[in-house]
């Protein structure tokens, strides 16, 4: 499968020699940042669109509105997904389409 110029792909590399062992067109227009694995899905922020995407190994993808603006980084602490974003215009978890997320705490 050839990569078209400008299309965003996810690549997984073998750590022994860095050859590509998995490649997938992510199907989103903007670039991805802040990639993190939660044990079942790979999460990424879509730059400039305030979206979070969760990719599973079977090729599925779920998308969510990020709780804050300009989401750019992610971390997983084995219980929670942490999202770096701007606090000046936070959305509630319900507004972002996420379940069981409390309203933002500012301050």
């Amino acid at each position: 499968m050839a990569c078209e110029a400008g299309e965003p792909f996810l690549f997984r590399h073998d750590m022994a020699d860095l050859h590509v062992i998995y490649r997938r067109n992510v199907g989103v227009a903007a670039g991805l940042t802040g990639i993190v694995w939660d044990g079942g899905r790979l999460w990424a922020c879509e730059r400039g669109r305030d979206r979070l995407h969760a990719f599973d190994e079977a090729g599925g993808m779920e998308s969510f509105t990020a709780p804050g603006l300009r989401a750019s980084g992610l971390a997983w602490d084995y219980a929670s997904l942490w999202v770096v974003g701007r606090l000046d215009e936070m959305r509630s978890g319900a507004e972002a389409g996420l379940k069981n997320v409390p309203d933002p705490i500012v301050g």
Side-chain angles (χ1 to χ4, degrees):
M1 166 195 298
C3 296
E4 297 297 323
E7 288 185 31
F9 275 76
L10 286 173
F11 297 92
R12 183 176 179 189
H13 298 270
D14 182 290
M15 289 305 293
D17 62 7
L18 295 180
H19 76 274
V20 175
I21 57 177
Y22 177 81
R23 175 179 53 212
R24 172 184 175 170
N25 185 318
V26 295
V28 297
L32 298 177
T33 63
I35 296 171
V36 67
W37 177 254
D38 72 1
R41 297 188 291 180
L42 188 68
W43 289 82
C45 303
E46 186 176 359
R47 184 178 57 233
R49 298 219 175 172
D50 301 327
R51 303 287 294 164
L52 302 178
H53 302 288
F55 303 94
D56 64 32
E57 293 185 85
M61 178 179 83
E62 277 189 273
S63 297
F64 307 91
T65 301
L69 295 178
R70 297 189 179 125
S72 60
L74 299 172
W76 174 252
D77 69 5
Y78 298 96
S80 302
L81 180 68
W82 293 74
V83 181
V84 175
R86 290 187 48 168
L87 287 174
D88 56 344
E89 295 187 38
M90 292 292 290
R91 299 175 184 95
S92 71
E95 290 171 324
L98 303 172
K99 298 175 184 164
N100 302 317
V101 177
D103 285 339
I105 299 170
V106 179

